[in-house]
């Protein structure tokens, strides 16, 4: 029976020599110490993940919990948490049939699971922690039970047992070049020395790397020259297409990936007000803004709904990006939710989850109506990373009478994109959906454009067919290969045709 090997573990297995391990920490070798601490860090993260999952509250995705500043050995912790989660149903079955999990161990069951995974399936480093000793004491019983489970399920190895429900198609790694700090050309030059790098054919400054490419610690990322942002997420700011110099609100902004993307699209010119309700997430937002080098972003820790749209300081807001809290059902694979116990219970449509979606969509409607009330807004993007109609088409449909009365209409971002909104009302074809099958996450984008602004912009071009003597920065969400903000002399009609396909 071949045990599965851990992936991406930075603490290499250390061979315990005769006479080892010593009883005191000081005498443990580096491998033992690393394993000892990694198990405890992983257990802390696992507890938060499982509690969030059990209560149906989002306690944060596995990734966000692992990559929080309090976790020191992120890589090892991430690997250990994911591997333990993959094995969790089997481990629970083993503990249930052996009956060794007394109330004493149940109090620290996450550490028991992590250690059991690590000693039974991962690295067999025996250290003198009490949980480690407990697992070692029963190791042979656990192995015998595992063999019986394999026989019962008719699989030849534990590896097969574990991969039964956890295999996910690998996706390319998308990265966005932060043009406030560097150029796409220079990033390609650096990355192509070690990876196959391609330019995305639709989103400017987006690069596509092979699945599994780990960029988390790459200097380009830590220096803020590159952001690890998915393609669908990047389509949102490109769809909004704010002009350099505009005043823009990012209404629900943390962690700030779209805020700094907007800043880059605006070439750092103009003013972005990035609003975030949650205090801790507002700090993350500030950190993201600092890392990006954007100096036209003002962060506000507060409720977007409390911003008075009639306050003269917001009278010049021309564009709003509204990416509110949502169920995250479109990025559940990315968030590794398929590893969570609730996923396997197939309770996605139970009463608790419908109530949660109803509550979210009520907030989304309120926030979208509020965004529409800003007097000078010309362009407004509403986006979610949800696949639920209740958070997407239904929200847009419910505000359409208000939007129409205020002079807005739906426009078509990325007209060449095939997958549009669910056909549940006239005009849903303007909406955009992305799907995990497109190798992306499940995102939804609606673009509202104020008719007066569109009409004014679509006035006949001047005699030379250009926007004016000066080169204008023009945003396109159009055809393959076009840059989002190319310094091109485009005729007004051409520009509008490719940008705001109404
Ligand atoms: C989906 S996330 C935004 C992700 C962000 N746009 C990005 O790309 O990095 C939604 C955020 O909205 C915040 N939020 C929720 N309600 C809010 C409100 N009433 N006002 C401001 N922010 C809010 C949440 O705390 C959360 O950080």
């Amino acid at each position: 029976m071949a045990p599965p090997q851990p992936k991406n573990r930075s603490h290499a297995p250390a061979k315990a020599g005769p006479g080892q391990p010593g009883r005191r920490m000081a005498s443990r070798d580096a491998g033992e110490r690393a394993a000892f601490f990694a198990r405890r860090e992983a257990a802390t993260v696992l507890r938060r993940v499982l509690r969030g999952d059990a209560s149906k509250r989002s306690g944060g995705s596995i990734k966000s919990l692992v990559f929080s500043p309090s976790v020191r050995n992120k890589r090892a912790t991430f690997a250990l948490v994911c591997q333990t989660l993959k094995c969790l149903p089997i481990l629970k079955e083993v503990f249930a049939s052996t009956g060794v999990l007394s109330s004493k161990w149940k109090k620290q069951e996450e550490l028991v699971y992590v250690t059991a995974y690590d000693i039974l399936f991962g690295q067999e480093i025996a250290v003198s922690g009490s949980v480690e000793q407990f697992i070692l004491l029963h190791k042979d019983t656990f192995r015998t039970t595992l063999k019986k489970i394999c026989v019962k399920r008719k699989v030849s190895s534990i590896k097969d047992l574990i991969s039964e429900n956890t295999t996910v198609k690998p996706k390319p790694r998308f990265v966005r070049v932060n043009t406030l700090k560097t150029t796409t050309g220079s990033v390609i030059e650096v990355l192509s020395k070690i990876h196959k790098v391609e330019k995305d054919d639709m989103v400017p400054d987006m690069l596509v790397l092979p699945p599994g490419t780990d960029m988390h610690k790459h200097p380009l990322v830590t220096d803020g020259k590159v952001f690890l942002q998915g393609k669908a997420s990047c389509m949102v700011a490109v769809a909004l297409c704010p002009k350099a110099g505009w005043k823009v609100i990012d209404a629900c902004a943390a962690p700030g990936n779209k805020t700094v993307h907007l800043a880059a699209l605006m070439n750092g010119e103009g003013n972005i007000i990035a609003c975030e309700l949650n205090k801790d997430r507002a700090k993350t937002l500030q950190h993201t803004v600092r890392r990006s080098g954007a100096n036209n972003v003002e962060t506000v820790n507060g409720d977007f709904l409390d911003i008075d749209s009639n306050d003269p300081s917001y009278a010049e807001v021309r564009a709003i990006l509204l990416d509110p809290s949502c169920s995250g059902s479109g990025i559940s694979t990315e968030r590794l939710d398929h590893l969570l116990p609730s996923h396997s219970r197939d309770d996605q449509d139970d009463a608790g989850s419908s109530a949660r979606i109803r509550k979210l969509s009520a907030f989304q409607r309120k926030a979208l109506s509020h965004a529409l009330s800003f007097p000078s807004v010309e362009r407004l993007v509403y986006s979610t990373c949800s696949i639920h109609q209740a958070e997407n088409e239904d929200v847009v449909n419910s505000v359409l009478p208000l939007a129409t009365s205020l002079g807005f209409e739906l426009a078509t971002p990325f007209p060449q994109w095939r997958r549009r909104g669910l056909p549940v009302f006239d005009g849903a074809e303007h909406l955009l959906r992305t799907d995990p099958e497109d190798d992306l996450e499940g995102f939804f984008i609606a673009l509202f454009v104020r008719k007066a602004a569109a009409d004014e912009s679509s006035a006949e071009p001047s005699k030379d067919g250009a926007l004016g003597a000066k080169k204008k920065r023009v945003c396109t969400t159009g055809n393959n290969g076009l840059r989002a903000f190319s310094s091109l002399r485009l005729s007004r009609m051409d520009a509008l045709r490719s940008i705001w396909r109404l």
Side-chain angles (χ1 to χ4, degrees):
M1 196 156 35
Q5 292 303 306
K7 286 176 192 157
N8 299 328
R9 296 291 296 273
S10 61
H11 55 287
K15 289 247 169 1
Q20 283 185 306
R23 284 193 164 272
R24 296 147 63 98
M25 288 296 288
S27 67
R28 287 183 190 134
D29 69 15
E32 284 190 352
R33 262 202 308 279
F36 180 89
F37 287 116
R39 286 170 192 156
R40 271 123 194 106
E41 282 210 303
T44 306
V45 171
L46 185 64
R47 182 173 313 132
R48 291 178 64 187
V49 168
L50 292 177
R51 285 188 181 171
D53 187 49
S55 66
K56 287 270 172 203
R57 269 183 302 105
S58 177
S61 70
I62 300 168
K63 281 185 184 168
S64 68
L65 290 171
V66 169
F67 289 98
S68 78
S70 61
V71 175
R72 282 175 306 165
N73 193 348
K74 297 185 187 345
R75 200 179 159 97
T77 304
F78 182 64
L80 206 37
V81 169
C82 291
Q83 296 298 334
T84 305
L85 278 168
K86 276 187 195 167
C87 299
L88 198 55
I90 311 289
L91 288 170
K92 284 188 171 175
E93 200 172 333
V94 168
F95 280 107
S97 26
T98 51
V100 297
L101 208 57
S102 65
S103 54
K104 173 189 166 192
W105 299 115
K106 272 197 180 138
K107 282 187 194 142
Q108 43 184 333
E109 65 180 331
E110 296 82 11
L111 181 56
V112 169
Y113 293 141
V114 168
T115 309
Y117 159 74
D118 210 20
I119 290 180
L120 292 175
F121 308 146
Q123 26 175 22
E124 283 194 58
I125 299 178
V127 286
S128 56
S130 61
V131 177
E132 280 82 355
Q133 296 305 310
F134 164 64
I135 302 296
L136 284 175
L137 185 69
H138 297 288
K139 197 165 96 176
D140 292 341
T141 319
F142 294 150
R143 292 233 156 107
T144 311
T145 312
L146 276 167
K147 280 183 191 158
K148 284 185 191 158
I149 297 174
C150 284
V151 173
K152 201 165 90 190
R153 304 265 173 87
K154 297 189 175 70
V155 294
S156 56
S157 71
I158 299 168
K159 198 174 179 181
D160 293 343
L161 203 59
I162 292 161
S163 63
E164 264 180 353
N165 291 320
T166 53
T167 312
V168 171
K169 190 179 144 209
K171 287 181 182 173
R173 152 64 73 196
F174 289 98
V175 298
R176 180 178 67 77
V177 177
N178 176 16
T179 51
L180 292 174
K181 282 198 167 174
T182 185
T183 61
T184 299
S186 48
V187 171
I188 292 177
E189 204 179 309
V190 174
L191 291 181
S192 57
K193 287 182 187 146
I194 35 172
H195 303 290
K196 180 171 171 268
V197 187
E198 282 170 16
K199 274 187 181 181
D200 184 68
D201 59 2
M202 215 175 65
V203 178
D205 306 313
M206 169 122 276
L207 302 178
V208 193
L209 304 172
T213 309
D214 185 359
M215 291 282 294
H216 284 92
K217 286 190 177 164
H218 197 289
L220 285 171
V221 174
T222 50
D223 291 350
K225 291 179 176 164
V226 156
F227 278 76
L228 302 179
Q229 204 177 347
K231 171 169 170 167
S233 162
C234 288
M235 288 164 80
V236 176
V238 176
L240 186 66
C241 187
K243 289 189 180 142
W246 272 13
K247 190 164 188 169
V248 175
I249 292 181
D250 186 354
C252 295
N257 290 321
K258 297 185 186 73
T259 313
V260 297
H261 190 189
L262 289 173
L265 292 174
M266 292 163 70
N267 206 21
E269 293 163 25
N271 178 225
I272 300 171
I273 301 150
C275 179
E276 171 55 46
L277 181 64
N278 180 286
K279 197 172 156 201
D280 289 337
R281 290 176 66 84
K283 283 186 195 146
T284 310
L285 168 66
Q286 284 165 356
H287 175 75
T288 308
V289 171
R290 270 198 302 277
R291 190 159 62 91
S292 77
N295 49 20
N296 63 334
V297 179
E298 177 195 332
T299 59
V300 176
N301 179 201
D303 190 336
F304 169 61
L305 299 176
D306 287 343
I307 296 182
D308 180 359
S309 52
N310 292 316
D311 184 319
S313 36
Y314 300 103
E316 285 166 16
V317 171
R318 309 276 291 276
I320 296 183
L321 191 155
L322 174 63
D323 184 38
S325 298
C326 71
S327 62
S329 51
I331 53 166
S332 58
T333 311
E334 181 73 9
R335 287 163 50 98
L336 304 174
D337 287 358
H338 57 287
L339 299 179
L340 299 176
S342 62
H343 193 83
S344 54
R345 284 201 304 269
D346 197 25
D347 56 359
Q348 306 300 306
D349 291 322
D350 68 9
S353 101
S354 334
R356 179 170 169 251
I357 288 168
R358 266 201 307 278
K359 203 168 152 198
L360 284 165
S361 73
F363 166 69
Q364 291 155 352
R365 268 200 301 276
K366 215 167 174 182
L368 183 50
S369 305
H370 185 54
L372 287 163
S373 74
F374 284 74
S376 303
V377 164
E378 295 174 26
R379 297 174 68 79
L380 164 59
V381 159
Y382 169 74
S383 63
T384 72
C385 51
S386 165
I387 53 171
H388 297 301
Q389 181 186 325
E391 298 180 84
N392 298 333
E393 289 84 359
D394 291 355
V395 171
V396 171
N397 195 17
S398 71
V399 303
L400 274 184
L402 172 69
T404 309
S405 72
L406 292 166
F408 287 96
E409 59 188 11
L410 285 171
T412 312
F414 297 95
Q416 76 275 36
W417 188 258
R418 223 174 10 94
R419 200 181 292 275
R420 310 308 305 192
L422 300 177
V424 289
F425 64 89
D426 279 349
E429 67 281 3
H430 292 293
L431 310 173
L432 183 151
R433 270 181 177 256
T434 62
D435 190 276
E437 278 173 29
D438 303 315
D439 281 343
L440 306 176
E441 310 91 2
F443 264 70
F444 172 85
I445 302 177
L447 168 63
F448 294 86
V449 173
R450 181 104 64 179
K451 263 188 276 176
D455 291 346
E456 183 211 315
S457 308
S458 61
E460 281 303 305
S462 60
K463 267 186 193 158
D464 65 357
L467 283 165
K470 279 173 84 181
K471 281 185 176 182
K472 295 265 180 184
R473 294 178 74 78
V474 175
C475 177
T476 75
T477 59
N479 303 323
N480 296 355
L482 282 177
R483 285 182 49 84
F485 273 81
S486 11
S487 292
L488 296 173
R489 284 171 67 105
L490 288 183
S491 85
R492 192 170 288 238
M493 292 304 281
D494 286 347
L496 281 159
R497 250 175 236 127
S498 61
I499 304 166
W500 297 341
R501 191 73 59 83
L502 288 171

